[in-house]
Amino acid sequence: MTDQSSAEIIQTFGIELRHLRSFIVVAEEGNIGRAATRLNISQPPLTRQIHQLEEELGVQLLIRTPHGVDLTAAGELFMEEARTICSLVRQASERTQRAGEGKLGRLDIAIFGSGILRDIPKLLLNFRKHYPDVHIALHTMRKSQQIEALRQRRINAGFNRLLPSLPDIATELITTEQLLLAINDSHPLAQADTIPLMAIADIPLILFPTGVLPNFREKTLKVCKDSGFTPKIAQEVGDAVTAIALVASGFGVAIVPESSSVLTLPHVVYKPLDNPPPGAEVDLTCIYRANDPSPVLKAFLEECRRYRDQILPA
Amino acid sequence: MTDQSSAEIIQTFGIELRHLRSFIVVAEEGNIGRAATRLNISQPPLTRQIHQLEEELGVQLLIRTPHGVDLTAAGELFMEEARTICSLVRQASERTQRAGEGKLGRLDIAIFGSGILRDIPKLLLNFRKHYPDVHIALHTMRKSQQIEALRQRRINAGFNRLLPSLPDIATELITTEQLLLAINDSHPLAQADTIPLMAIADIPLILFPTGVLPNFREKTLKVCKDSGFTPKIAQEVGDAVTAIALVASGFGVAIVPESSSVLTLPHVVYKPLDNPPPGAEVDLTCIYRANDPSPVLKAFLEECRRYRDQILPA
DNA sequence: GGCGCTTGATACCCTGAAAGTATCAGGTAT
DNA sequence: ATACCTGATACTTTCAGGGTATCAAGCGCC
């Protein structure tokens, strides 16, 4: 297949862009001498170039008149085609340069449940503002799927929390969030400004997500253990949104990342932990192939860093 | 304006089609050495060409791996663009060649009243069959308009009868037609198979067309004079169709070219002249600029000759 | 782990094609 | 008739692209 396709392409031996550029100028000037001046070459080589072109095409392009040259019908057609081609080359060059700077291209990005609630949309919005010509496709994937998809090159980056360290996957920290307690407003504890973790020891706890370790479920259990108790597990669910929905229905409480609090559901209030133990926080990170040379990805990671530096002081 | 437009085009210095063709093959092979073999050059110059291209664009197009080369995102984009450009060059080349052979292009052709009745449509149909990609635009013009339009290059060819000889306008004979008498079937003469011209000396004659000399009106009068009489003029009209319509209404008789007889109107019959005097015939000719180099026109004129040679024996 | 094979990159030379110089030939206009 | 355009041609020169030889680096196979 390759042989055939390139055989077709290589048909046009001999003809070079130089010929097209020269011909365009000659056609514009209607005079070979003046055209040569504009091309910064002398007249004879230009005459020869045009002859070569006519020879190569097997068609007369110019009619020599006493005061210059006129285009034949074929010449007129070829001039249009040549203009198109030259401007296409220019465009190709520019587009490739922009692609090289990461300003043009496509990013396939995997997101997961609770990450989408606040930081990722903001980040993507920022990026789109700086790189409007980069097309972003979002895919919802759980952590293990993200890693597999990265390795298979189906995606360029993914967002997740609590990542295992892997040799071929690099990470970029987006933000570190405090943990909040999502609690039903009918519960007496919901009146307090902050809640000591120990206070929920006897309240049923909704855990999430299910899936491979390490995950946020594990994190939640560890935080409780560090506070000196083992929680009563009310229910295990797949994602933060479902967990908070259960909180709204009075199933129990849930420990969620700070950013989840943008999700308002009736009867759900979010309370900071009183005296949070060390480790009562969770990272949101961007993962990508460690050796991915894509300039678009590079630009995206820079945007990630800019976002992080921007919100960390605040 | 020319300076600006070409300045834009000439932006892409350095880059030549050679670079694009080479890059495509390299991208296809994923291996510079093999690509060089396929391009029938050795490996070092190909390496250099790719470097030149990357230099020129200011973008890395290839990632060198131990087993060959991979495309960067920019490289992948540029490869698509390069393919497009190369195939466009090929197409341009082919189209120009076809234009040079007269197989592609546009013909603006002027026609006039009675010529359109038989020969011109047949001729155009033949031409279209051989040259399907030539677009033909028809314009209805009287003789003087045709000549003016030819000189102003608004048309490529015209059809007419009885043309004055002009230095810059060449002619190509299409057909020579006998003259027929168009007569109302209520007239006693309409019963005869042929009619001697003298017989209409007393019947009102409808003359056409009005306009510059020489014209068919003049021809008609001359034929009558050669037969030894001066006709009674019933009416002068602009074209053959109107004249025949008047015959249908009983205004009188008309002398018309043979081809007009394809036009059937109620009560109109066409009768050959009995013993037609020499000169009782009229040419249909194609006129064009004597120095017009257009290959499309050339092809059209050849079609005209073919048509003439085809109908002359019959 | 060392050796051989692959890959692309580099240094140098050489050929050939394209550009330059000088001149010619044809057509117009004065 | 001549002076001045035009593009075409002959010859020279230059330099860019291609060739040969070789190198450096990475992978895989014993």
Side-chain angles (χ1 to χ4, degrees):
Chain A
M1 191 224 92
T2 48
D3 270 302
Q4 295 155 19
S5 68
S6 62
E8 293 224 336
I9 287 167
I10 294 180
Q11 284 291 20
T12 51
F13 268 137
I15 298 182
E16 285 293 345
L17 289 180
R18 169 167 35 93
H19 296 112
L20 304 193
R21 293 190 265 256
S22 298
F23 181 69
I24 290 169
V25 176
V26 168
E28 280 177 0
E29 292 289 338
N31 179 308
I32 296 190
R34 277 203 304 276
T37 309
R38 240 179 76 191
L39 289 164
N40 294 316
I41 59 175
S42 61
Q43 171 257 318
L46 182 54
T47 294
R48 255 181 324 224
Q49 276 192 24
I50 303 297
H51 281 160
Q52 279 171 23
L53 195 54
E54 290 182 324
E55 180 78 16
E56 195 71 41
L57 294 171
V59 172
Q60 189 180 354
L61 299 173
L62 297 179
I63 299 167
R64 280 67 176 176
T65 71
H67 39 276
V69 291
D70 274 354
L71 292 174
T72 64
E76 214 138 336
L77 174 68
F78 189 72
M79 145 106 159
E80 291 303 318
E81 307 269 8
R83 280 186 121 74
T84 306
I85 290 165
C86 284
S87 90
L88 256 175
V89 170
R90 213 173 98 83
Q91 280 178 39
S93 165
E94 282 176 4
R95 286 166 56 84
T96 304
Q97 280 164 11
R98 290 204 306 153
E101 293 162 9
K103 288 181 183 158
L104 177 74
R106 175 192 169 103
L107 270 186
D108 284 90
I109 295 178
I111 53 178
F112 88 111
S114 82
I116 191 101
L117 287 176
R118 189 185 62 186
D119 296 287
I120 296 176
K122 278 190 185 171
L123 182 54
L124 293 180
L125 226 54
N126 282 354
F127 182 71
R128 174 166 301 180
K129 200 162 63 191
H130 290 112
Y131 297 88
D133 291 335
V134 174
H135 178 75
I136 297 178
L138 291 180
H139 310 265
T140 300
M141 291 184 195
R142 336 197 98 241
K143 183 163 35 186
S144 56
Q145 294 174 310
Q146 289 190 12
I147 292 169
E148 190 190 350
L150 271 177
R151 288 186 170 138
Q152 294 174 354
R153 319 201 146 221
R154 298 202 320 269
I155 60 173
N156 304 98
F159 285 96
N160 230 302
R161 303 187 195 274
L162 297 161
L163 290 153
S165 140
L166 297 165
D168 56 339
I169 306 288
T171 63
E172 188 70 44
L173 178 68
I174 303 299
T175 183
T176 300
E177 304 181 40
Q178 295 302 311
L179 298 184
L180 299 183
L181 193 66
I183 188 167
N184 193 291
D185 60 5
S186 67
H187 196 283
L189 278 175
Q191 306 307 319
D193 281 344
T194 64
I195 299 178
L197 202 51
M198 269 302 287
I200 68 161
D202 294 326
I203 311 176
L205 185 64
I206 300 157
L207 280 177
F208 65 92
T210 53
V212 294
L213 300 181
N215 61 14
F216 188 68
R217 175 184 182 281
E218 188 192 25
K219 177 82 174 180
T220 307
L221 291 175
K222 184 168 181 301
V223 168
C224 292
K225 188 179 161 214
D226 288 350
S227 292
F229 70 100
T230 303
K232 276 172 62 182
I233 297 173
Q235 182 73 41
E236 306 208 15
V237 298
D239 61 90
V241 176
T242 309
I244 296 169
L246 292 190
V247 171
S249 308
F251 266 67
V253 296
I255 294 173
V256 300
E258 188 187 339
S259 63
S260 298
S261 67
V262 298
L263 183 69
T264 57
L265 255 64
H267 307 300
V268 176
V269 292
Y270 298 92
K271 296 289 169 181
L273 298 182
D274 192 13
N275 249 326
E281 52 196 19
V282 65
D283 291 343
L284 176 65
T285 50
C286 175
I287 60 177
Y288 55 95
R289 283 187 299 281
N291 60 353
D292 189 334
S294 157
V296 183
L297 177 66
K298 188 160 157 274
F300 183 72
L301 292 175
E302 266 162 29
E303 191 64 48
C304 286
R305 282 178 216 116
R306 200 177 311 144
Y307 179 80
R308 181 189 56 203
D309 298 345
Q310 180 187 325
I311 60 166
L312 267 197
Chain B
M1 194 224 93
T2 49
D3 269 303
Q4 295 155 19
S5 69
S6 63
E8 293 224 335
I9 287 166
I10 294 181
Q11 283 291 21
T12 52
F13 268 138
I15 298 181
E16 285 294 343
L17 288 180
R18 169 168 33 93
H19 296 111
L20 305 192
R21 293 191 265 257
S22 297
F23 181 70
I24 290 169
V25 176
V26 169
E28 280 177 1
E29 292 289 338
N31 179 308
I32 295 190
R34 276 203 305 276
T37 308
R38 241 179 74 192
L39 288 164
N40 295 315
I41 59 175
S42 61
Q43 171 256 319
L46 182 53
T47 294
R48 252 181 327 215
Q49 276 192 26
I50 303 297
H51 281 160
Q52 280 171 24
L53 195 54
E54 290 182 324
E55 180 78 16
E56 195 70 42
L57 294 172
V59 172
Q60 189 179 355
L61 299 173
L62 297 179
I63 299 167
R64 280 68 174 175
T65 71
H67 40 279
V69 290
D70 275 353
L71 292 175
T72 64
E76 214 138 337
L77 173 68
F78 189 72
M79 145 106 159
E80 290 303 318
E81 307 270 9
R83 277 182 124 69
T84 306
I85 289 165
C86 283
S87 90
L88 256 176
V89 170
R90 212 172 99 83
Q91 280 178 41
S93 165
E94 281 175 5
R95 286 167 57 84
T96 305
Q97 280 163 11
R98 291 204 305 152
E101 293 162 8
K103 288 181 182 155
L104 178 73
R106 175 191 169 104
L107 271 184
D108 284 272
I109 295 177
I111 53 178
F112 87 111
S114 81
I116 191 109
L117 288 176
R118 189 186 61 187
D119 297 287
I120 296 175
K122 278 190 185 172
L123 181 55
L124 293 180
L125 226 55
N126 283 354
F127 182 71
R128 175 167 300 181
K129 200 163 64 191
H130 291 113
Y131 297 88
D133 291 335
V134 173
H135 179 75
I136 297 177
L138 291 181
H139 310 265
T140 301
M141 292 184 194
R142 337 197 100 243
K143 183 163 37 188
S144 57
Q145 293 175 309
Q146 289 189 13
I147 291 169
E148 190 190 350
L150 272 177
R151 287 184 171 140
Q152 294 175 353
R153 317 200 149 223
R154 298 203 319 270
I155 60 173
N156 304 97
F159 286 96
N160 231 302
R161 302 186 196 277
L162 297 162
L163 290 154
S165 143
L166 296 165
D168 56 339
I169 306 288
T171 64
E172 188 70 43
L173 178 68
I174 303 299
T175 184
T176 300
E177 304 181 40
Q178 296 301 312
L179 298 183
L180 299 183
L181 194 66
I183 189 168
N184 193 291
D185 60 6
S186 68
H187 196 281
L189 278 175
Q191 306 306 319
D193 283 343
T194 64
I195 299 178
L197 203 51
M198 268 302 288
I200 67 160
D202 294 326
I203 311 176
L205 185 63
I206 300 156
L207 280 177
F208 65 91
T210 53
V212 293
L213 299 182
N215 61 13
F216 189 67
R217 175 185 182 281
E218 188 192 25
K219 177 80 172 182
T220 307
L221 291 175
K222 184 167 182 300
V223 169
C224 291
K225 187 176 161 214
D226 288 349
S227 292
F229 70 99
T230 303
K232 277 172 62 183
I233 298 173
Q235 182 72 42
E236 306 207 16
V237 299
D239 61 274
V241 176
T242 310
I244 295 169
L246 293 189
V247 171
S249 309
F251 266 67
V253 296
I255 294 174
V256 301
E258 187 187 340
S259 62
S260 298
S261 68
V262 298
L263 182 69
T264 57
L265 256 65
H267 306 299
V268 175
V269 292
Y270 299 91
K271 296 288 171 181
L273 299 183
D274 191 16
N275 249 326
E281 52 196 19
V282 66
D283 292 341
L284 177 64
T285 51
C286 175
I287 61 176
Y288 56 95
R289 282 187 299 281
N291 61 353
D292 189 334
S294 157
V296 183
L297 177 65
K298 187 160 158 273
F300 183 72
L301 293 175
E302 265 161 31
E303 191 64 47
C304 287
R305 282 179 216 116
R306 200 177 311 143
Y307 179 79
R308 181 189 57 203
D309 299 344
Q310 182 187 323
I311 60 165
L312 268 197

